[in-house]
Every structure is written in structure tokens, then in C-alpha cells.
Amino acid sequence: MKKPQARTAQQWGDLVRSASSHTGPRPRVSIWHGMADRTVAAANAAALLSQWTNVHGIDEDIFTQASLAGHRHRTWSNRKGETVVELCLIEGMGHGTPVRRTKAQARARGAERFMLDVGLSSTLHLATSWGLVHRKRAPGRK
């Protein structure tokens, strides 16, 4: 977790391809990393990025960057324009899962050691972007 092995993007991609005889479409991959994480080095996120851009056959240097709740969010698309790899780098976040607490959740206590309130929920973002949930619209809006 501190330092991934030195491999080329091709070598990382070959590990995925050799793990299965699957020849169909590959899954969309979402990589999230806290920039203050002292458990898992940021180099691991970079290695995953190289691996999955290679698996999808896309150029790692061609991406779109935007801000997602104030954090750096990059996306890589395939020839169809579909996002197939995304990377979200959370400034100031340590080792854990990024969450955005509601007022009710802020009052609740429980197992939260690795649930880090950074104003952005990775779980909700993924579920929404993968079409698993839909955001509610304000009353009167279509």
C-alpha cells in the first residue's frame, strides 16, 4: 500500500487481461484517493489509472477535469464518449470513504472511523453516475 510495483501501463493492463478469459466490455472504473492518506500512497491511484486506461484502450493523457464539490475530478472517455475511468482526488482527506453527512447523520454516532465527511459522498456519486439512483427534483420542476 505504500509503494506499488514499478510496471508500465501495458504490464498493469496485461494483469487484468490475463486474470480472465472475458473478451466483452470491461467495467467502468472509479478511483478515489485522499491526498492526505498516509496508509495508501497516491502512487497506487496512479497505477490503477494506468492499468484501467490501458485495459480500456484509451490515452491516459487525454481527460476532462472539473471540480466535484471542490475536489479534483478527472474523467476518461471511450470512442463512444462514455466515461469509462474516473479519478477523484480529495484534498485534505486521509484514509477512508468520502461521505457528506446530513444534519440527522451529524447527530448520530456509530462506526465512523473511516467514514470521512469531506462534503462529497463517493457512494452517492457512483450510484447516481451509474444510473442506480436518481436525484429527486424540486417540487414543481420537470
Side-chain angles (χ1 to χ4, degrees):
M1 292 194 290
K2 291 292 182 187
K3 186 177 179 185
Q5 291 185 14
R7 290 190 166 110
T8 66
Q10 182 69 43
Q11 290 170 324
W12 282 119
D14 287 347
L15 289 173
V16 172
R17 288 182 284 274
S18 68
S20 168
S21 61
H22 176 73
T23 58
R26 297 295 182 168
R28 178 176 172 181
V29 175
S30 185
I31 304 162
W32 294 71
H33 192 78
M35 298 307 293
D37 190 335
R38 292 186 302 223
T39 302
V40 178
N44 288 286
L48 284 169
L49 177 62
S50 291
Q51 182 173 49
W52 286 97
T53 53
N54 180 269
V55 167
H56 281 284
I58 55 180
D59 189 333
E60 186 176 335
D61 295 327
I62 300 174
F63 58 88
T64 301
Q65 181 166 303
S67 176
L68 186 61
H71 303 287
R72 197 171 357 158
H73 182 248
R74 294 177 178 172
T75 56
W76 286 259
S77 300
N78 62 17
R79 289 185 184 105
K80 296 178 185 176
E82 302 164 325
T83 297
V84 291
V85 179
E86 72 177 324
L87 171 67
C88 192
L89 302 172
I90 311 293
E91 291 297 329
M93 188 179 92
H95 186 69
T97 300
V99 298
R100 180 179 167 269
R101 295 174 146 233
T102 64
K103 288 179 184 176
Q105 292 166 329
R107 289 189 298 270
R109 293 286 176 230
E112 55 190 44
R113 184 173 177 190
F114 296 105
M115 305 302 276
L116 308 176
D117 188 356
V118 295
L120 170 65
S121 169
S122 60
T123 304
L124 180 58
H125 171 79
L126 292 172
T128 303
S129 68
W130 291 349
L132 301 174
V133 298
H134 301 281
R135 292 201 180 264
K136 292 182 181 179
R137 294 178 188 214
R141 296 187 89 187
K142 292 185 179 187

